Amino acid sequence: MLEVVGLGAEMEWVYEVLVGSRSSDAAELSAVTGLPEQQVRAALSDLERLGLARRLRGRPGHFAAADPSSALDVLLLRREEAIQNARLRAKELSERFREATSRQVPDQLVEVVVGREAVRDRVDTARRGARTELRIFDKPPYAAEPNPPEVEPSGDLLLRRGGSVRTIYEQTSLEVLGRLRGEISTAAARGTLDRVLPELPLKMVLVDDRLGIVPLQAAPTVIDTAVIVHPSGLLTALSALFETLWRVALPLALDDTDACARPAAPGEQPSDAERHILALLTTGVPDDAIARELGLSERTFRRRVQNLMERLGARTRFQLARQAARRGWLDDDTN
């Protein structure tokens, strides 16, 4: 537990026993902890060096614990200062790397990663290093099933830091039963922003404006090779592609409540049930899959969709989605 401030498990055990007693020597501590006396002496010496223990005057070989509330705070502050200095150094080196990269020849602006495990590890490491934003094109296949990018711990960490995670899903990625009401809804509750398109041109992860990752093959069946794109004209183009498709994609505004079980309310504004149905319709998932998600029969589901189409004067599902979006029924408050 206290490894972060330099205490190993044995040293922490000795300190814990020492905290619970007024004073002890190596022999007494050895008897309680079960550690060899020589090992206890070494631990006491280290605890004294760290300011967590002090020798008692007039009692040779006896030690007393320092107050953890102050002694550990000092060590934690030192560690925080060291981490902050390391971050500053990392930023300095990153800027130097960025400058050097801008002078590199073209074949040094991209790198190829080979092997499914290597690709998965590289993507995970890159996402964990995100500082402000992750932007993702989500479509099959996946380097690691079944976890989608937006629910990885790296995304949670970024959101806790105040960053953002935006994902555009291809329709086929949402056709797995339970995924809409499970992984994706959970991620949305944490703060991810999600939209959907019938088809995406490629899989992609953009980390801030520093890194892009795309599969090497145009239409892979498995992700076992990937291209890492560093700051360059190519990375700028990939970023522009994401922003363009984000603007035309439909919001994937999912509600975790079981509103679909309630009848639709009359009037111009949709009921909660209708909003939920509209949100699921924008995914393009087949009717039978959506009906199962909502716990409805296909007949009931289609009757509700038909009612919405009549209210909005839509002849097709696509027109229904566009009309609902224009009226603000699908807004996710994100441009």
Side-chain angles (χ1 to χ4, degrees):
M1 186 70 72
L2 295 178
E3 291 92 343
V4 69
V5 292
L7 272 68
E10 294 169 350
M11 193 189 310
E12 183 177 347
W13 178 221
V14 172
Y15 181 58
E16 183 178 344
V17 174
L18 193 61
V19 166
S21 62
R22 298 186 61 182
S23 66
S24 295
D25 60 13
E28 293 170 340
L29 292 169
S30 176
V32 174
T33 62
L35 298 172
E37 189 171 331
Q38 183 178 0
Q39 199 167 348
V40 172
R41 291 183 188 278
L44 287 170
S45 178
D46 288 336
L47 290 170
E48 184 180 20
R49 175 178 53 82
L50 293 172
L52 296 174
R54 57 185 176 84
R55 295 176 186 269
L56 297 180
R57 292 183 180 179
R59 300 186 66 187
H62 280 72
F63 289 78
D67 183 356
S69 64
S70 56
L72 287 175
D73 274 351
V74 170
L75 293 178
L76 288 169
L77 287 172
R78 288 176 185 169
R79 182 53 59 94
E80 289 172 2
E81 183 180 356
I83 291 174
Q84 182 61 29
N85 289 336
R87 283 178 176 158
L88 292 174
R89 179 59 173 162
K91 183 177 180 180
E92 177 187 336
L93 292 173
S94 178
E95 291 299 326
R96 187 174 300 179
F97 175 79
R98 197 182 281 260
E99 292 175 6
T101 299
S102 66
R103 299 190 298 268
Q104 288 177 341
V105 295
D107 62 358
Q108 294 176 316
L109 296 177
V110 298
E111 58 179 298
V112 177
V113 179
V114 180
R116 191 171 184 179
E117 294 295 323
V119 170
R120 184 185 63 186
D121 292 345
R122 190 72 167 88
V123 171
D124 185 63
T125 299
R127 288 201 302 250
R128 288 178 181 276
R131 300 169 184 170
T132 59
E133 185 177 40
L134 284 171
R135 292 173 291 174
I136 300 160
F137 283 168
D138 186 299
K139 63 180 293 183
Y142 300 104
E145 297 285 2
N147 297 319
E150 80 290 348
V151 297
E152 289 289 321
S154 53
D156 292 345
L157 179 60
L158 179 60
L159 291 171
R160 288 196 297 271
R161 290 173 179 166
S164 66
V165 179
R166 289 190 287 159
T167 303
I168 302 177
Y169 290 94
E170 182 176 279
Q171 173 186 326
T172 55
S173 69
L174 302 176
E175 294 182 3
V176 178
L177 179 62
R179 193 180 185 201
L180 288 171
R181 299 288 293 273
E183 298 165 341
I184 296 173
S185 291
T186 299
R190 293 182 183 128
T192 64
L193 301 173
D194 305 318
R195 294 189 177 186
V196 63
L197 284 173
E199 188 175 1
L200 287 171
L202 75 167
K203 289 176 63 71
M204 181 172 69
V205 175
L206 296 177
V207 181
D208 305 323
D209 58 351
R210 300 178 294 111
L211 201 68
I213 306 175
V214 298
L216 182 61
Q217 301 97 329
T221 55
V222 295
I223 304 298
D224 54 9
T225 55
V227 176
I228 313 298
V229 183
H230 295 284
S232 59
L234 177 57
L235 185 60
T236 300
L238 292 175
S239 178
L241 173 63
F242 181 92
E243 297 302 333
T244 298
L245 294 185
W246 180 261
R247 286 192 291 271
V248 301
L250 290 173
L252 183 61
L254 298 180
D255 183 358
D256 280 340
T257 63
D258 194 19
C260 59
R262 302 192 295 273
E268 178 62 19
Q269 291 299 315
S271 67
D272 289 342
E274 290 172 323
R275 285 185 184 276
H276 194 53
I277 288 174
L278 285 167
L280 292 174
L281 279 173
T282 63
T283 66
V285 173
D287 287 358
D288 57 345
I290 295 179
R292 289 198 301 270
E293 288 284 349
L294 301 178
L296 301 174
S297 68
E298 287 188 52
R299 182 178 180 181
T300 299
F301 171 74
R302 288 172 180 165
R303 185 173 66 249
R304 294 190 180 184
V305 172
Q306 184 62 36
N307 179 59
L308 283 168
M309 292 176 68
E310 291 174 358
R311 285 176 60 188
L312 295 183
R315 295 183 179 180
T316 66
R317 298 290 182 86
F318 181 78
Q319 289 178 349
L320 174 62
R322 298 308 298 174
Q323 289 289 347
R326 288 192 184 100
R327 292 168 184 255
W329 292 4
L330 297 175
D331 284 351
D332 62 358
D333 296 324
T334 303
N335 294 322

